[in-house]
Amino acid sequence: SQQGEEDPQALSIQEGENATMNCSYKTSINNLQWYRQNSGRGLVHLILIRSNEREKHSGRLRVTLDTSKKSSSLLITASRAADTASYFCATAPTDSWGKLQFGAGTQVVVTP
Amino acid sequence: GAVVSQHPSRVICKSGTSVKIECRSLDFQATTMFWYRQFPKQSLMLMATSNEGSKATYEQGVEKDKFLINHASLTLSTLTVTSAHPEDSSFYICSAGQGRRETQYFGPGTRLLVL
């Protein structure tokens, strides 16, 4: 079953702007992961944040996690046209190791 | 990162035929492999979990007799869609994990079109 809700469903920005997307989930988790998918392609793992972490950075990516609100956000700073893709959050529930539950995804379009 | 391949990348078949999709971990031993299905503009839905040498565990609503999964070695899992119908047309993605490590490595996906 699909656990996460992502917001917004679609996001259109210009190069150089920041893109922020949010993910909410329902159950207790071990970690939350963000993935990127270019149209018709496989998934690329972006970043993993554990349940005892609140914020994590990787290059132009910044992820936050609020377990009290069961929500996470992904910020892409100084976006580029190459960042155009769909972004998914996936949670690893505590009661079922390895079974990632994916959110609905946010489709991001970055125009030059 | 680790590499997972899928073959074929794209397949078109007639209704009623069976299609086999392979998922290989190229540079590590995958104790667990996961199969997902993704319909257009939708998210990934987990279909089943397979552990090497044992029977696959299917998610609720996934027919085990229709989607046969074999995980005969630590580097190969196969998904066979039996008696495929047009509604089985989808993007099938596998992922592979090692032991209790958190990160899964995803294959590039297989696009199945059933005519």
Side-chain angles (χ1 to χ4, degrees):
Chain A
S1 61
Q2 190 169 301
Q3 157 149 256
E5 296 292 330
E6 290 191 55
D7 159 52
Q9 289 186 337
L11 183 60
S12 185
I13 57 174
Q14 291 195 315
E15 269 192 326
E17 294 181 338
N18 295 342
T20 300
M21 59 210 87
N22 304 294
C23 167
S24 61
Y25 58 92
K26 296 173 185 172
T27 63
S28 295
I29 61 171
N30 286 320
N31 64 68
L32 185 145
Q33 304 176 35
W34 284 92
Y35 290 84
R36 164 199 165 123
Q37 183 181 36
N38 286 73
S39 181
R41 309 289 287 271
L43 294 178
V44 175
H45 183 264
L46 296 177
I47 199 164
L48 180 153
I49 186 165
R50 295 187 178 87
S51 59
N52 61 353
E53 297 175 310
R54 292 296 167 258
E55 189 171 310
K56 210 160 182 181
H57 297 255
S58 176
R60 293 184 295 113
L61 304 179
R62 172 177 168 257
V63 167
T64 64
L65 178 64
D66 186 335
T67 52
S68 66
K69 295 181 180 178
K70 290 186 166 58
S71 67
S72 174
S73 68
L74 171 66
L75 167 68
I76 305 173
T77 60
S79 62
R80 305 167 182 169
D83 294 329
T84 294
S86 291
Y87 292 82
F88 294 92
C89 68
T91 53
T94 54
D95 62 351
S96 52
W97 179 85
K99 291 187 178 183
L100 295 179
Q101 295 183 333
F102 282 82
T106 295
Q107 192 168 1
V108 175
V109 175
V110 183
T111 52
Chain B
V3 178
V4 175
S5 70
Q6 279 185 242
H7 177 80
S9 59
R10 184 186 296 256
V11 57
I12 300 174
C13 69
K14 291 182 179 179
S15 187
T17 60
S18 293
V19 175
K20 180 185 281 189
I21 302 170
E22 292 184 350
C23 176
R24 292 182 185 272
S25 56
L26 299 184
D27 52 2
F28 69 101
Q29 293 186 326
T31 50
T32 307
M33 285 186 171
F34 303 88
W35 286 95
Y36 296 85
R37 180 167 52 183
Q38 184 181 32
F39 291 107
K41 298 193 183 300
Q42 293 188 26
S43 188
L44 280 75
M45 300 297 290
L46 179 65
M47 298 175 67
T49 303
S50 75
N51 293 297
E52 185 265 340
S54 61
K55 289 183 179 180
T57 303
Y58 291 81
E59 294 301 299
Q60 194 171 7
V62 178
E63 298 176 57
K64 63 179 181 180
D65 294 329
K66 180 164 182 66
F67 299 100
L68 301 178
I69 291 173
N70 184 284
H71 191 165
S73 77
L74 286 170
T75 58
L76 173 65
S77 176
T78 60
L79 167 68
T80 301
V81 183
T82 62
S83 185
H85 291 283
E87 57 265 32
D88 298 323
S89 299
S90 188
F91 194 51
Y92 292 86
I93 305 177
C94 71
S95 71
Q98 279 183 292
R100 303 285 296 182
R101 294 186 183 179
E102 296 166 310
T103 303
Q104 294 179 25
Y105 301 97
F106 282 80
T110 296
R111 187 161 301 284
L112 170 64
L113 177 60
V114 185
L115 302 176

